[in-house]
Amino acid sequence: MKGIKYQLKNIRRDKLCILTFLLPVLIGFALSLLSDVSFSSISEITFGIVKNDLPADTVDWLKSNGNVTVYQKTADLKEAVNDPSSQMIGVLKNDAGIQTIRSGDELQMMSIIGDTLPLLFAERHTVSQYNISMIPLKHNNDILKPLLIVITLVTAMFMGCTFNAMNMISEKEDGIIFINEVLPMTKTQFLIQKLLLGFTGSILSTAITAAVCIRVSLVQLLPLILLILLSAFIAALAGVFIGHFSSGLMVGIVYIKIVMILFLAPPILFYLLVPSGSILHKVSCILPSSAAFYGLMDLLNGKSQDITIYLVVLTVHSLIWLSLYRRLSLRGQKHA
C-alpha cells in the first residue's frame, strides 16, 4: 500500500500523466455538449457566387442543392475557394450556362460535384421530370461523431501506459529501483503493484469519458465494461514494458510516443480505408487496439452481439504479454 501511495505522489508531480488523464475526459464533455449537432452538416455543399453575375433562377437552383455565399468580386470568390479550410465550389456564368472553380485540394466528393455541376445544370429540366425522394439522415447514423468518441475512448485507455511507464522511469532516475530489488517482494507482487496504478487510472479515465459522451443500454453495458477492462490492462502492461526497457526519461517519452502512434493510428486507418468484410480487416483485428476500436464502434452502432471475437482477441493478448513479461523478469533475475 505504501508503494501505491508513493506512486500516486510521483504521478501528481508529472504534468504529462495528469494531462493524459484529463484530456480524454475534457474531450468527452465537449462531445456531449455537441450531442444535438449533426456532424454530417460539416460536409454540406457550399457554392460561392459573384453578386449580379448569375440569373435569379440559377441562384435559386443552387440554393436548392446547397448553401450559397455571395461575394462582391471574382477575386474575393477565388480567394474563398482557395482557402485551405474551405470546401467551397465557385460558380460563374459562361456562354454554356455555368462554370465551376475548384482549388484542387477538396474532398473527392466535392471534386466530383464541382466537375459534374455544369452538366447537372444543363440537364436540370430533364431531371425535374422525375420524382425524387430524399431520405433524411438519422442523427444516430452520423459517422463522424461515433468515430471521434471511439478515438477519445481509445486515447483514455492508453493513459495507463503513460502512467506506468513514467512511474517506472522516475524510479530508475531517483534510484528507487535499487530499493525495490532488495525489498521482500516477489516478482508477482512487484508486477501487480506496477500494473495497478495505470490500470486503475485508465479504467477511471475511460469510464468517466464514456459516461459523459455515450449512452448504452443494459445489454451493451457488460460488453463495454469488458472492453474497457481488457484494453486498460493491455495498455497498463505496455507501460510496464516501456518502463522496463527505457534507460532514461527522453528514451521513455520516445517509446511512449511510438507506442501511442501504433496504438491509435492503425485501427483508425483500417476502419476508414479497409472494407469491413475484407480479409485485411479481419487480419487487422489481431492488433489489440484494433480489436478495442472495432468493438467500441460496433457498440455505438448497436452491434453488441458481434464483439465476442474482439473480446477473445484482447484476452489472448493479455495472457500472451503477461506471460512474456513474467519470462522477461525471471530471465533478468537469473542474470542478476
Side-chain angles (χ1 to χ4, degrees):
M1 183 60 86
K2 290 183 178 180
I4 297 296
K5 289 182 179 179
Y6 174 79
Q7 291 179 69
L8 286 172
K9 291 181 180 179
N10 201 20
I11 289 298
R12 263 187 331 207
R13 297 195 301 265
D14 196 312
K15 302 298 186 294
L16 178 61
C17 291
I18 297 175
L19 180 63
T20 307
F21 179 86
L22 292 178
L23 186 59
V25 178
L26 295 176
I27 295 176
F29 275 110
L31 290 173
S32 66
L33 293 176
L34 296 175
S35 59
D36 295 329
V37 178
S38 177
F39 283 86
S40 59
S41 61
I42 295 174
S43 60
E44 189 171 350
I45 305 170
T46 301
F47 301 111
I49 63 174
V50 178
K51 186 177 182 180
N52 299 325
D53 178 55
L54 296 173
D57 61 335
T58 303
V59 176
D60 292 338
W61 181 79
L62 290 174
K63 288 181 178 179
S64 67
N65 290 282
N67 295 325
V68 176
T69 304
V70 182
Y71 295 90
Q72 295 295 326
K73 301 177 182 178
T74 304
D76 296 335
L77 172 60
K78 291 182 178 180
E79 182 178 352
V81 170
N82 290 325
D83 187 344
S85 63
S86 170
Q87 293 290 318
M88 180 179 293
I89 300 172
V91 182
L92 296 173
K93 181 181 178 181
N94 68 359
D95 296 335
I98 62 172
Q99 64 178 5
T100 56
I101 305 174
R102 297 196 295 106
S103 63
D105 61 352
E106 302 94 349
L107 297 172
Q108 184 179 9
M109 180 185 71
M110 297 300 177
S111 300
I112 295 173
I113 292 174
D115 292 339
T116 58
L117 191 66
L119 179 60
L120 291 173
F121 178 75
E123 300 291 338
R124 66 190 185 282
H125 298 299
T126 304
V127 174
S128 64
Q129 298 176 5
Y130 298 92
N131 293 325
I132 300 175
S133 299
M134 301 295 293
I135 301 176
L137 181 67
K138 294 182 179 180
H139 177 70
N140 290 336
N141 288 334
D142 195 301
I143 298 175
L144 185 56
K145 185 176 179 181
L147 182 62
L148 292 175
I149 291 175
V150 171
I151 292 174
T152 305
L153 290 176
V154 174
T155 304
M157 292 172 181
F158 185 81
M159 188 272 296
C161 175
T162 305
F163 265 34
N164 288 342
M166 296 302 294
N167 174 60
M168 292 182 68
I169 293 170
S170 297
E171 288 188 352
K172 282 185 177 181
E173 293 190 337
D174 295 340
I176 300 174
I177 187 67
F178 301 110
I179 299 176
N180 290 334
E181 290 178 355
V182 298
L183 288 177
M185 183 187 305
T186 65
K187 291 292 181 180
T188 301
Q189 291 174 332
F190 176 80
L191 178 60
I192 292 174
Q193 179 175 298
K194 294 307 173 189
L195 280 174
L196 187 60
L197 184 64
F199 179 59
T200 305
S202 185
I203 290 175
L204 287 175
S205 180
T206 309
I208 295 172
T209 305
V212 299
C213 64
I214 65 174
R215 298 292 181 269
V216 294
S217 63
L218 291 177
V219 177
Q220 297 173 316
L221 186 58
L222 180 59
L224 176 62
I225 293 174
L226 292 176
L227 278 174
I228 293 175
L229 290 176
L230 291 171
S231 302
F233 180 77
I234 293 173
L237 194 55
V240 174
F241 271 97
I242 293 175
H244 179 85
F245 287 107
S246 298
S247 57
L249 180 61
M250 295 307 299
V251 176
I253 291 176
V254 171
Y255 285 165
I256 290 173
K257 297 303 180 185
I258 292 175
V259 173
M260 186 172 188
I261 292 173
L262 295 176
F263 197 82
L264 294 176
I268 298 173
L269 293 176
F270 286 135
Y271 182 80
L272 294 176
L273 302 178
V274 179
S276 59
S278 64
I279 297 178
L280 184 58
H281 183 274
K282 295 178 180 178
V283 172
S284 67
C285 295
I286 297 176
L287 295 173
S289 56
S290 293
F293 189 94
Y294 297 156
L296 289 171
M297 287 300 300
D298 284 352
L299 274 178
L300 292 184
N301 292 326
K303 302 177 182 177
S304 56
Q305 68 277 7
D306 297 336
I307 71 168
T308 303
I309 182 62
Y310 305 131
L311 294 175
V312 171
V313 171
L314 291 172
T315 302
V316 171
H317 269 286
S318 300
L319 295 175
I320 290 176
W321 291 106
L322 181 60
S323 176
L324 182 61
Y325 184 81
R326 288 181 60 83
R327 286 178 176 272
L328 188 65
S329 300
L330 292 175
R331 183 177 299 178
Q333 188 177 18
K334 289 179 180 179
H335 287 308

